[in-house]
Every structure is written in C-alpha cells, then in structure tokens.
Amino acid sequence: MRTRPSARAGQYAALLAYLIFLAFPFLWLLSTAFKPPRELGSLHPTWIPRHPTLANFRQAFDEQPLLHAALNSLLAALGAAVIAVLIATPMAYVMARHRTRLARAASGWVVVSQAFPFVLIIIPLFLVLKRLRLIDSLAGLTVVYVVWSLPFALWMLVGYVRAVPVELEEAAAVDGAGRLRTLISVTAPLLAPGIAATALFAFITAWNEFFFALVLLKSPGNQTLPVVLTHFIGAEGVADLGPLAAAAFLATLPSLVVFALLQRRITGGLIAGAVKS
Amino acid sequence: MRTRITMAVAALLLLLAGCSSGGRQHGGPVTLRFQSLAWQQESVAANKELVREWNAAHPDVQVEYVQGDWDSVHDQLLTSFEGGEAPDVIHDASDDLADFAYGGDLADLSGLLPARLKSYIPARSWRATTFGKGVYGVPFLQEPRVLIANSAWLRTAKVRIPTPRHPWSWAEFREITARLSGDGKYGVAWPLKEPVSVTLNLGLSAGGTLFQRGSDGKVSVRFGAGDAVVPRTVRDQIARDRSAPASTLGSGGSDTLPGFFGGRYAMVPLGFSYRQQIEQQAPKGFKWEVLPAPAGADGLTQGVSPQTLSVSQDCPHKKEAAQFIDFLLRPKNMVRLALGDWMLPTGTDALADPALHTADHGWATGTALAAHLRPAPAQSVRGYPEWKDKIATPAFQEYYSGAIGLAALRERLEQDGNLVLARYQR
C-alpha cells in the first residue's frame, strides 16, 4: 500500500516535532552549559549563547573530580549491566519455556518487587552490606544495582525469549545439537537484541542512580557522577547553574554513546525471517 | 566459546576486585572524616584550604574532606547513623539537628569545647543547637533575609531608603511597594516555594510567637495577632494592592532573579547569601543594594537556622574532632568561611572583622542585622518537619493564593497542627 505524499509529509513533520520535543531538555542543557553567568539570569534567554564560553566547563572540572566520578559511574554501571544480563538470561529462559506454578509465582514476585520504595529498603540494605564489608565500595554498589535492576531485566528478557520460536530449538535438536549447544548457538544469537536492550536498561538505571550511591559511598574517591553533580547545588535549591549544566551535559554523553553502540543490536531485527510460515 | 566465557567472567571478577575500596587503615594517625556542605566555589576552596592547614599542623590527627550536599543531607545522615557509619565531623543546619540530637546520634559537645569558643559565640546562637541539657552543634554561619533592591528604581521613585537604624515598618513597606507598582511592574516579588520558614522567621519582627511552650515543656501552636502581620501583608500585596505578582508564589529565590534583573520587580526578599548569585548574574551596569527586611513591634528581629558543626556520637575521637572544630572556627578562619559563603559569622570577634563592614555588596547592612537574629521559632519543636509539610505548607500556600482566609489559616495551623505535634510529645 502506497502512502500519499501529503500524508507522508505530515508524518515527517509530526516526527520532527516529536524529536524536537524530546531533544528540548538536552539542547537547553547544551545551551546553558555555554552561557556566561550574566546570560543565565536574563529575562529573555536565547537558544544560542550571545557570548559562548568554556568557563563553565573549566569551573566544573576545577571544582569537582568529574572524570574520576565518571569512571566510578562507568565501572558500577557496566558491572551492573553485565552481571544483570548474565544472571537474568538463563533465569528468563527457564521462566519463559517452563510455565510451571513456580515460574508464574516468580513472575508475580518480580512485578511486586518493583513497588518497594527506596527508603523502605535502604537501611536494611545498608546493614547487610556493612556486615559484608561492602559499604563504601563500588563492588557493593554494583551488587545493589544488579539486585535493583534484575527483576525488570528478567521481565524484559522473558518477553524476548517467548518471542524466539521454540520450533527453531526443536529443529536444532533434530539436527543433533545438545541442549547447551542449542542455547548457545541458536537461542542466544536470536536473543541478542533483547540482551542488548536489557543491558542498556541496566546500564542507564545504574548510571543515573543517585540515592544508593549517596548513602552507600562515603569516600570522595568512590563517589559517582550523580552524587558529584549535587555538589553544585546549595541550600534552598540555589544552584551554580553554569557549571552544573556543563557537568550534567558531560554526564549525559556516556549514556548516549552506549545507546548508539547498542542501538543497532536492539533494532536489528535478527529474528526477522528466521522462520518461514 | 568456552574460552570466551571464561575470559568474560575473569574480566568481571577483576573489575569487581578493582572496584573494592581498601577500607580504613589500622594504626597510624587518627583520621577524622569531615563532611562539609560548602558548595560555592570560594566556600569549598576556603574549607579545603583550612583542612590542608590543619593536616599540615597536626600529623597525628588527619582530616579527610568529604563533600556532602544540602538537598539530601538529612536522609544520608539518617542512614549513616543507623548503620554506624556516619562522618565524624558533620556540617548541617541547626533546624535539622533536633531529631538526631534527641535520637542520640550526635555527641554532646558541652564538655568538649574550649571556653574561648563558647564565650565568643553569643548565647542566642547556642540556643539553636541546645536540646535538653546538651549542646549538639556549634553554630557558625547564619544569614538573615534581606531585601535586594534595584537601586535606580528606588531612587527614581524617590522612596525613603531604609537602613538598619531606620527600617521600613511592615505598613510602610506595603505602601512603598504599592507606589512602585503599575504597568506590569511590581514593587516586590515574593519567592514563596518554602512559605513556612519565610513567614515564621520574618514573623518574629512583628512579635510572632507561633509556638508556645507550656509549663510542662510541651509545645502547642497558637496563631496570635503578631503572627498574622507578615502573612497579611504579603497576601494584601498580592491580592489587593497588586504590588506583588502571584506568579512567583511557587518559585524559589533564583527563579525570581531574571525578572528582577529585567526590571519587572523593584525588590526581592532573599537570603543574604544570594548576593553572590546576583553579583555573578546581574547585567553590567545593573545597580543593586541590600536593604533590611521591614521591622514590626519587635524591630528587626528575625529567625535563622545557623549552619552548624557537630560530632557523631559514634566518633571514637571526639576530643580531636572538637579540637578540629575549634580550629575551623577561630575568628580569622570563621571570617574566611563567612566570606566564602557570603554569609554572616556567629562569632562576635569574627563579626567585628573590617572585611565584613564594607558597603560593597551590602556586607555592612548584613552585619548590622546580626544582633537581631534569633533561633528560628521551630528550632527545637519535635514534629516540626511533619507539621510543616502536612499542615503549614499547604495552609500558607492556600492562604497566599487567596483560596482561604485568615480565620481558616489560623484554624488549620492550630487545630490540625496541634494534633500533629501532640503525637510527638506523648
């Protein structure tokens, strides 16, 4: 079915408007990061800074250990993403392929566990991690992020596993492949987009997380980027807006890079055409 | 394939091993962790410099500077206290200390501080950190609320410029803001995102005594005539005189600055430390000045919650921690901290420093107000945070927006409020 040119133009216009809407916060952040203080207090703010400056970036780097904090965030977020995927993938496979009562109960628990607020679990969690000597360590924080993202990761992956036709596994079995061989050579590649999406979710969740990092890390050398960003904010919400915007702009970049790297995997549609009906 | 999986797992384990912290070293010098909430560039620099000086002079007691933040300090400390991992020296505000002090999380400093430091900070400031019989923090910086004014506008309008000796009365303030208004411009903009502390603290000038402590030590809310002066003035400016815009009622102080610089408002009531932002952001040629807040029956009196330094009850080296606090708050050091934060020191010797008496940036006006500052009314009231969040904030917001009248405001603050406070005082 062919779309009329006018309808297509309308679709593109709507898409463009939506993209601009989505990009607005990021573009405004970018603009603010390059504005000198006097332009930040203007009653008539402009999109393009009249006197663009790098001073906000200089000040941000001078005042706070941004690179070190970014490295800490990266280690915790990558660790959380990798471990969450390693744990969630086989679990999701079992839950998707073996629909027992236990699997259904586990699915229900996964949904319920998402309802617990941070403040309810933070003190018990703090005490448990203290007993394990994992307070003030990125390893401890990574464990927390894994536990925190695991239920949702599992939920996501169960859906992806169910989308992989079981006939493919049966065909592999007919061809003589063992269970493990089938999982590694047949199922896992087809799950790649799902695994990439799940890893991205776990990475971004951990990268942006603030409260656990604030409470569990004490040494300045261990602090993550979201915690360091708050150091530009004072009492009663007063903020050093220029350096804060500069640092926040830099903080968004790794998420964008990881997304760009995984994006093809997510949208690649590796399953397309795998089964002819 | 197996090799690849093994390598991935090994890499992961190495990654986690690399992430682990080394933990606290045993033996060697005493190490104190000092969590500071300083955030402005000069303030952070002053704090770090003082820590460096201390560390250089005290090889046996080393201090580690840890950056905290105002927004989440309460939750962070609460968790740290519960887990026994709190910083040794704690920077906070006095109105955040009551629950920690009564909960046994903070050390009583009364026997640890030198007489010199005790005598050099006025008794009224110590009242902000005294809970029961103990002293749980050293008050060291404070900021009054002042009027930041567009100098040219005020002079063109030929209004009387108030001074700490001859401030405006609340009635005169209302009259002047009405004179300055018109054509889409306003005499004043009230940023009332946090209406309770502003109203209560300024209310002391008019003799407001909202929290009454009975002979049994229990606190109750009684909204008297003095308590009504400030809210009624603000409400009248917004609803009757149209000399204050309703649009800033939900704003924070920073949000009003573009309108102030753009010539939309003649004055903005702000904390004294906002001067730093104004100095940074004001357009070239924009002339501004600091005026005292209006005075009522009790003169320029207003409530403040000083910034404080406390010691954790779990700190194994309380004596050394108190010595470090004493070093930080020596008069010259207190001046450095005050200048860095654009705030007033509590110490009388520090307040006398010439650097704080220049006309530049309104320092002299601020220091002239220091003697009139009292602990905020809610300072030692248990249950105040809940009263503020659940009762007072919505009640004041509704009153200022015109949704309810003064009688309803009084009823909500007293009846509903006393039910909340009673739960904490059984």
Side-chain angles (χ1 to χ4, degrees), chain B residues 131-152:
Chain B
F131 304 101
K133 289 181 181 169
V135 174
Y136 295 92
V138 184
F140 71 110
L141 291 180
Q142 56 190 345
E143 62 172 331
R145 204 159 281 271
V146 291
L147 296 171
I148 308 286
N150 180 325
S151 303

Side-chain angles (χ1 to χ4, degrees), chain B residues 204-353:
Chain B
L204 291 188
S205 70
T209 51
L210 194 70
F211 294 103
Q212 313 273 342
R213 195 173 287 275
S215 54
D216 57 354
K218 291 187 176 174
V219 175
S220 59
V221 182
R222 210 176 308 149
F223 189 82
D227 296 301
V229 172
V230 173
R232 201 157 42 202
T233 304
V234 175
R235 160 87 172 251
D236 286 346
Q237 286 174 323
I238 293 167
R240 286 194 186 182
D241 308 344
R242 311 275 178 209
S243 58
S247 57
T248 59
L249 285 178
S251 306
S254 302
D255 305 325
T256 58
L257 292 183
F260 177 60
F261 298 144
R264 192 168 285 176
Y265 322 126
M267 288 178 277
V268 190
L270 293 170
F272 195 52
S273 62
Y274 269 90
R275 296 168 303 134
Q276 194 253 5
Q277 276 217 324
I278 293 169
E279 173 62 14
Q280 262 195 354
Q281 296 181 10
K284 277 180 186 163
F286 183 86
K287 294 271 189 288
W288 57 276
E289 62 191 302
V290 176
L291 308 177
D298 277 14
L300 287 165
T301 307
Q302 62 171 280
V304 288
S305 298
Q307 291 189 19
T308 56
L309 292 172
S310 303
V311 176
S312 164
Q313 179 62 36
D314 286 343
C315 171
H317 307 288
K318 294 186 182 66
K319 197 178 95 191
E320 289 83 355
Q323 285 168 348
F324 172 66
I325 290 176
D326 178 46
F327 166 79
L328 273 185
L329 303 186
R330 284 177 191 164
K332 282 197 171 169
N333 294 344
M334 205 189 255
V335 172
R336 287 160 71 182
L337 294 173
L339 289 171
D341 254 330
W342 291 63
M343 292 177 101
L344 296 177
T346 54
T348 44
D349 291 8
L351 265 172
D353 193 290

Side-chain angles (χ1 to χ4, degrees), chain B residues 44-114:
Chain B
V44 173
N47 273 276
K48 285 185 174 172
E49 185 59 33
L50 284 169
V51 168
R52 265 195 296 274
E53 287 173 21
W54 167 273
N55 285 340
H58 300 82
D60 294 339
V61 183
Q62 292 293 288
V63 172
E64 184 187 16
Y65 181 92
V66 181
Q67 185 79 55
D69 73 281
W70 284 103
D71 240 13
S72 48
V73 65
H74 184 85
D75 291 341
Q76 190 244 352
L77 284 177
L78 188 67
T79 318
S80 305
F81 285 133
E82 290 291 332
E85 293 280 342
D88 300 295
V89 179
I90 296 162
H91 180 188
D92 203 349
S94 61
D95 58 358
D96 196 34
L97 297 186
D99 285 345
F100 294 138
Y102 286 120
D105 298 318
L106 298 175
D108 178 5
L109 300 176
S110 38
L112 292 169
L113 299 171

Side-chain angles (χ1 to χ4, degrees), chain A residues 37-44 59 62-64 75-76 78-79 82-83 86 119 122-123 126-127 130 134-139 142-143 180 184 210-211 214-215 217-223 227 230-241, chain B residues 1 5 9 12 15-16 19-21 33 38-41 44 48 64-72 75-76 78-80 82-86 143 145 194 197 252-254 257-259 261-264 274 276-284:
Chain A
R38 291 190 201 288
E39 286 187 43
L40 293 173
S42 169
L43 188 60
H44 306 290
Q59 190 182 336
D62 285 351
E63 279 183 36
Q64 301 297 338
L75 286 172
L78 276 178
V82 172
I83 299 171
L86 286 178
V119 285
I122 189 67
I123 289 176
F126 190 95
L127 295 173
K130 191 184 169 200
L134 284 175
I135 291 289
D136 198 23
S137 79
L138 287 177
T142 307
V143 169
L180 190 64
I184 293 172
F210 166 71
F211 190 58
L214 172 81
V215 169
L217 302 175
K218 295 177 299 174
S219 306
N222 281 341
Q223 288 182 337
V227 176
T230 64
H231 299 162
F232 295 104
I233 301 173
E236 291 187 28
V238 188
D240 213 348
L241 209 53
Chain B
M1 175 60 78
I5 292 172
V9 171
L12 196 66
L15 179 74
L16 287 179
C19 292
S20 301
S21 70
R33 187 181 282 126
W39 69 281
Q40 305 202 68
Q41 197 176 9
V44 173
K48 285 185 174 172
E64 184 187 16
Y65 181 92
V66 181
Q67 185 79 55
D69 73 281
W70 284 103
D71 240 13
S72 48
D75 291 341
Q76 190 244 352
L78 188 67
T79 318
S80 305
E82 290 291 332
E85 293 280 342
E143 62 172 331
R145 204 159 281 271
E194 300 282 344
S197 60
S254 302
L257 292 183
F261 298 144
R264 192 168 285 176
Y274 269 90
Q276 194 253 5
Q277 276 217 324
I278 293 169
E279 173 62 14
Q280 262 195 354
Q281 296 181 10
K284 277 180 186 163

Side-chain angles (χ1 to χ4, degrees), chain B residues 170-207:
Chain B
W170 283 99
E172 193 181 2
F173 174 56
R174 190 181 153 192
E175 190 189 307
I176 284 169
T177 53
R179 268 178 61 192
L180 295 168
S181 305
D183 295 333
K185 296 185 173 187
Y186 299 92
V188 65
W190 285 97
L192 286 176
K193 193 176 178 183
E194 300 282 344
V196 184
S197 60
V198 176
T199 312
L200 265 54
N201 288 342
L202 288 177
L204 291 188
S205 70

